Amino acid sequence: NSHWYPVTWARDVPINQPIRVTLFDVDYVLAKTITSSTGENDDNDEVFFAMLDQCPHKKVALSEGRITECGDKRYFQCS
């Protein structure tokens, strides 16, 4: 079963800066990035990422870290 729950307004999520949101006593890290569209319009698209707010290796909050780029991909990096 997949369910979607609103946790914040898209306009309130800063670009390229992870934030913590809490839903049902579980912390998640949320980030928004901007990608350039290759279509006829020169519009930019907002892309959102979310996952549990815990680094799988160090068990620290990913929301305290940053977004890093590797090629055309973006990743959460812990602090």
Side-chain angles (χ1 to χ4, degrees):
N1 291 329
S2 292
H3 300 285
W4 290 91
Y5 296 95
V7 293
T8 189
W9 292 101
R11 66 176 177 256
D12 293 337
V13 179
I15 297 171
N16 292 328
Q17 182 179 345
I19 62 168
R20 177 182 298 165
V21 295
T22 303
L23 179 67
F24 303 127
D25 294 326
V26 177
D27 292 330
Y28 296 91
V29 60
L30 177 66
K32 174 173 65 175
T33 61
I34 303 294
T35 60
S36 296
S37 176
T38 58
E40 294 176 8
N41 303 349
D42 287 331
D43 293 336
N44 293 328
D45 294 322
E46 294 179 340
V47 179
F48 290 86
F49 303 89
M51 62 184 289
L52 288 175
D53 191 17
Q54 186 178 60
C55 171
H57 306 103
K58 297 181 182 178
K59 305 298 184 208
V60 297
L62 290 170
S63 58
E64 299 294 323
R66 60 185 166 268
I67 302 296
T68 59
E69 291 187 38
C70 183
D72 62 345
K73 298 185 182 195
R74 292 175 178 91
Y75 301 93
F76 289 115
Q77 181 178 351
C78 63
S79 56

